[in-house]
Amino acid sequence: MIEALPDGGTIRKLWIGESALLRDHLLRLDGDSRARRFGGGVSDARVIQYADTALTPGAIVYGFLIDGTLRGVAEMRRAGLPLATLVTPVAEVALSIETPWQSHGVGSALLERTLLAARNRGIKTLHMQCLADNRRMQQLAAKFNADLTFETGSVIGEVDPRRPNPLSLLREWVEDSQSLTRAMLDVQTRMLRAG
Ligand SMILES: CC(C)(COP(=O)(O)OP(=O)(O)OC[C@H]1O[C@@H](n2cnc3c(N)ncnc32)[C@H](O)[C@@H]1OP(=O)(O)O)[C@@H](O)C(=O)NCCC(=O)NCCS
């Protein structure tokens, strides 16, 4: 897919050993974005604790990186009890973009990748929980035909991904191969910087 991302940034999956990237990104969010991401105010200690355990094998996390620094993420993980999700596969999605890169199409590009991953895993419903006044997140969900359900104080966006097919599986596989190469380049960049 060819898309214009700000500042020559790239999008790729994050791997389990990259929780420090996620932690630093979440800590850099300004107060408002952090509250919107977590549905309320959370301390640095809570953010660190969260990031340390967020990259589990079951989580699919797409990152937007510039020069090896993570500036935005879309995190998707299965929701509900394991047996229930076999019948109705549901996942939760949360997005966070650092302020200078908001409103530049990064959230849209990350959500598009997430929808492809959800589709390829047979996930029927994606929940996006956001505060009721979060117009941008609601606009973003609406772009992808999300059904928005209003509950007290929050909005649940439900997106129904299409069924997987060989092309959608191939597309994610090709993107994964590129992701691995980019992850290795990012490690090299960080090592060069540290040296
Ligand atoms: C909400 C968030 C993920 C959206 O990502 P983004 O990269 O800023 O969004 P995009 O640039 O892709 O824009 C998506 C849509 O939102 C709308 N939008 C963009 N900027 C907007 C603004 N300043 N005000 C209102 N709507 C806006 C547009 O409809 C846009 O689609 P379009 O550009 O095709 O018209 C991001 O702003 C963010 O991380 N906010 C803080 C954390 C958060 O709110 N997370 C969501 C809860 S989990």
Side-chain angles (χ1 to χ4, degrees):
M1 184 197 327
I2 298 172
E3 62 199 353
L5 290 167
D7 298 331
T10 54
I11 287 182
R12 67 167 175 82
K13 272 187 189 150
L14 295 191
W15 308 101
I16 286 179
E18 297 187 297
S19 50
L21 282 183
L22 180 63
R23 179 198 63 212
D24 294 347
H25 156 67
L26 292 173
L27 286 173
R28 272 193 302 270
L29 290 175
D30 63 71
D32 182 63
S33 297
R34 188 192 288 194
R36 290 183 184 284
R37 161 62 186 83
F38 288 98
V42 287
S43 65
D44 283 359
R46 174 75 191 94
V47 169
I48 292 167
Q49 188 189 31
Y50 169 81
D52 282 349
T53 54
L55 298 181
T56 55
I60 307 282
V61 180
Y62 281 99
F64 166 70
L65 295 101
I66 297 178
D67 295 333
T69 303
L70 187 64
R71 298 297 182 182
V73 286
E75 306 170 50
M76 178 176 78
R77 47 184 57 83
R78 295 255 180 181
L81 297 170
L83 268 182
T85 61
L86 282 180
V87 185
T88 322
V90 175
E92 284 172 354
V93 179
L95 284 99
S96 52
I97 321 288
E98 290 175 32
T99 311
W101 290 276
Q102 290 177 8
S103 299
H104 287 94
V106 177
S108 303
L110 287 169
L111 189 56
E112 191 184 9
R113 300 296 203 293
T114 304
L115 281 172
L116 177 69
R119 177 183 180 183
N120 287 340
R121 281 154 191 77
I123 287 166
K124 297 282 179 229
T125 305
L126 274 184
H127 283 265
M128 287 168 276
Q129 190 144 9
C130 71
L131 299 176
D133 67 349
N134 196 341
R135 292 291 304 143
R136 203 176 316 176
M137 188 62 213
Q138 290 164 35
Q139 295 271 11
L140 175 53
K143 265 177 77 173
F144 292 90
N145 297 325
D147 245 348
L148 299 179
T149 317
F150 290 81
E151 290 184 359
T152 32
S154 66
V155 175
I156 314 278
E158 291 199 357
V159 178
D160 192 359
R162 285 175 291 154
R163 296 166 77 83
N165 63 23
L167 201 62
S168 69
L169 292 166
L170 179 68
R171 209 179 119 200
E172 188 179 349
W173 182 80
V174 169
E175 285 178 5
D176 278 358
S177 314
Q178 293 169 347
S179 279
L180 262 179
T181 313
R182 284 181 186 147
M184 286 188 280
L185 287 173
D186 287 338
V187 170
Q188 277 183 354
T189 308
R190 285 199 293 276
M191 283 167 67
L192 282 172
R193 262 195 220 138

